[in-house]
Amino acid sequence: MTVAPEKFIAARKASGMTLSAASELANVTVQTYIAREKHLEQFRICELEGVYEGLNKTGKSLLREGMCEIFLP
């Protein structure tokens, strides 16, 4: 199953988070983070956890919705 990355990207943007900031929170390089946003199945839970902690309320909600689309289709 392929899930579109729009909610993950929207969560980051809604929080005013740059790719650089997200990659730092995920503890990966910017290039790796960009690849993860394009191919969500490559994200590790610990990476998403780091990003989630840096999101605002709206961003957290969007990320949760995206996660539900992956795990609870």
Side-chain angles (χ1 to χ4, degrees), residues 7-60:
K7 288 200 177 152
F8 285 73
I9 295 168
R12 178 177 53 78
K13 289 183 176 182
S15 297
M17 188 181 294
T18 64
L19 285 166
S20 179
S23 69
E24 285 182 34
L25 290 168
N27 200 30
V28 296
T29 66
V30 172
Q31 294 80 11
T32 298
Y33 191 84
I34 291 168
R36 300 271 203 269
E37 276 193 347
K38 291 179 182 176
H39 304 280
L40 300 176
E41 71 278 2
Q42 295 178 359
F43 266 118
R44 295 180 176 140
I45 296 297
C46 61
E47 295 166 354
L48 289 172
E49 181 180 24
V51 173
Y52 182 83
E53 293 302 319
L55 298 173
N56 64 19
K57 185 178 179 179
T58 302
K60 287 179 178 182

